[in-house]
Amino acid sequence: MIAKNLFLQGIYHFEGTGLDKPVPIHSELSHFVPDGVVNQTLYFRGGNSSPELITVVLMRDRIPMRYFPIGAKGDVHVPLRVVEDTEGGSVIELFIVAPTGVRGTVVVDLGMVEH
């Protein structure tokens, strides 16, 4: 079977809505896994321009799969050692969690493979 590399990536402005209220970062950071295909997330890289800790949340069908905290004015690179299969028909999205009113820019790069 042929493998296809996919990426959800970009630079986006955000405003926090509370640490208990994850919200989509941007509609561009959403991917529908086609039927008959298996998706695997391999790594996440992120950067945070704000003066507060934020968290990027990898969602599958609006249910959290992974949390990627990014420190104030910091960055992170997380190669995933435990890789889960996401079956066709699922939607993968990146959400953000930040303290209420905190504004900044987040840089995201989520690497995936489908086969």
Side-chain angles (χ1 to χ4, degrees), residues 7-115:
F7 306 93
L8 296 182
Q9 53 192 194
I11 301 170
Y12 301 92
H13 298 287
F14 68 88
E15 182 171 348
T17 58
L19 295 175
D20 58 344
K21 296 177 185 162
V23 294
I25 297 172
H26 194 279
S27 61
E28 293 174 351
L29 297 176
S30 177
H31 173 68
F32 176 77
V33 181
D35 289 329
V37 170
V38 173
N39 178 294
Q40 295 176 322
T41 301
L42 302 177
Y43 72 85
F44 173 80
R45 290 186 196 119
N48 169 23
S49 74
S50 82
E52 299 286 337
L53 172 79
I54 66 168
T55 301
V56 174
V57 185
L58 174 62
M59 302 286 233
R60 176 177 50 208
D61 299 325
R62 300 278 168 132
I63 298 170
M65 280 181 68
R66 295 274 192 273
Y67 292 85
F68 302 108
I70 308 173
K73 297 187 182 279
D75 60 85
V76 66
H77 177 189
V78 182
L80 297 173
R81 302 292 184 227
V82 177
V83 178
E84 297 174 309
D85 290 346
T86 300
E87 301 296 328
S90 298
V91 176
I92 296 171
E93 299 172 283
L94 291 176
F95 280 45
I96 194 163
V97 175
T100 303
V102 170
R103 293 180 178 177
T105 302
V106 63
V107 179
V108 294
D109 179 10
L110 182 75
M112 304 171 286
V113 65
E114 287 184 345
H115 49 87

